[in-house]
């Protein structure tokens, strides 16, 4: 349950065999996924928020870290936590709280209050997190060019690549262009060889194997599993009624 173990899972993978990391939202769902044999888990902030009664992006930091700690205690595999943009915490405190909660990885996004951050400013923050964590944390740098959007006249693919290069130079272990079109991953992989790329699998999009063939190294699902579980529960309740 170390960052080095999580890091190793991302490397040496064949095309079409990406690392699949499902996302639990509480300790019970985490146990189900770990018992199924997944080697690591990636907690989605939206799924955890829903389990705590909050909208995505509205979970207080203390409650999010407490939820991460409960999940990390419940399973014998590495846990990576989506901590949104870091809750305004200084990098050293952010790293300290993640490690205290038992997480060995994190997602950090480059959007705050619905606004895409300046890429240089975000790279500096990532570098500060890396400096504070050393090798003790696997840092997955989220690139929000396709979810928050880019200024008019800016090519999103070019901006994604620009940010990817800056974040890689800042020490990110993995890059996560969330909701990027599948065809973006090939050029990113060519431009940054050897650096893992995270793709979000969505219901109507390519499956994990195809995303791996296109250049993704790691596949996550965001709150997708939690939402499907709630849909299944609604169907059961409808039957009971």
């Amino acid at each position: 349950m170390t960052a080095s173990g999580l890091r190793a899972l991302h490397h040496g993978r064949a095309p079409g065999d990406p690392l699949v990391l499902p996302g639990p939202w509480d300790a019970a769902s985490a146990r189900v996924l770990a018992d199924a044999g997944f080697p690591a888990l990636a907690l989605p902030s939206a799924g955890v928020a829903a389990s705590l009664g909050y909208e995505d992006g509205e979970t207080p930091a203390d409650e999010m870290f407490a939820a991460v700690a409960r999940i990390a205690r419940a399973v014998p595999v590495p846990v990576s936590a989506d901590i949104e943009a870091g809750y305004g915490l200084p990098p050293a405190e952010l790293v300290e709280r993640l490690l205290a909660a038992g997480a060995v990885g994190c997602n950090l996004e480059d959007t705050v209050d619905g606004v895409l951050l300046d890429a240089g400013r975000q790279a500096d923050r990532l570098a500060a997190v890396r400096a504070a964590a050393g090798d003790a944390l696997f840092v997955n740098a989220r690139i929000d060019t396709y979810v928050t959007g880019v200024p008019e006249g800016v090519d999103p693919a070019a901006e994604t690549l620009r940010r990817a290069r800056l974040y890689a130079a800042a020490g990110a272990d993995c890059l996560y262009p969330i909701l990027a079109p599948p065809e973006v991953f090939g050029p990113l992989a060519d431009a940054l060889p050897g650096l893992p790329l995270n793709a979000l699998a969505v219901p109507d999009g390519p499956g994990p194997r195809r995303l791996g063939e296109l250049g993704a190294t790691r596949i996550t699902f965001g709150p997708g599993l939690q939402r499907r579980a709630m849909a299944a529960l609604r169907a059961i309740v409808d039957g009971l009624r």
Side-chain angles (χ1 to χ4, degrees):
M1 294 188 291
T2 64
S4 60
L6 179 59
R7 197 170 285 115
L9 290 172
H10 291 74
H11 293 279
R13 308 199 71 89
D17 181 32
L19 176 63
V20 176
L21 298 182
W25 52 94
D26 59 15
S29 59
R31 286 187 179 126
V32 169
L33 297 171
D35 289 347
F38 289 99
L41 303 174
L43 281 56
S45 63
V48 173
S51 76
L52 297 173
Y54 294 101
E55 296 297 320
D56 187 23
E58 296 183 2
T59 308
D62 288 349
E63 293 198 44
M64 181 61 75
F65 286 115
V68 172
R70 286 192 294 271
I71 293 170
R73 283 198 305 266
V75 293
V77 298
V79 166
S80 180
D82 180 352
I83 50 168
E84 303 171 323
Y87 308 110
L89 297 172
E93 182 180 350
L94 184 65
V95 169
E96 180 182 4
R97 297 193 68 173
L98 276 165
L99 296 178
V104 297
C106 70
N107 285 1
L108 271 175
E109 61 192 52
D110 56 2
T111 295
V112 173
D113 296 329
V115 177
L116 195 65
L117 292 174
D118 174 79
R121 174 184 168 194
Q122 179 68 358
D124 289 344
R125 181 164 172 77
L126 289 166
V129 169
R130 170 55 67 217
D135 291 334
L137 201 63
F138 183 95
V139 178
N140 190 28
R142 206 176 94 172
I143 303 172
D144 286 0
T145 44
Y146 286 95
V147 60
T148 303
V150 295
E152 186 176 354
V154 174
D155 176 51
E159 180 63 11
T160 298
L161 178 57
R162 184 178 79 90
R163 287 173 179 261
R165 286 181 167 138
L166 285 170
Y167 300 170
D173 292 290
C174 186
L175 301 170
Y176 182 16
I178 185 170
L179 292 179
E183 60 268 20
V184 166
F185 285 90
L188 279 177
D190 291 341
L192 296 161
L195 191 67
L197 300 175
N198 189 155
L200 177 70
V202 296
D204 297 329
R209 183 177 299 278
R210 180 58 182 153
L211 288 169
E213 292 170 347
L214 292 169
T217 314
R218 156 177 165 155
I219 311 300
T220 54
F221 303 87
L225 294 180
Q226 186 267 340
R227 289 172 180 170
R228 289 180 67 179
M230 293 304 99
L233 179 58
R234 280 193 293 271
I236 292 170
V237 169
D238 288 344
L240 293 174
R241 293 181 64 191

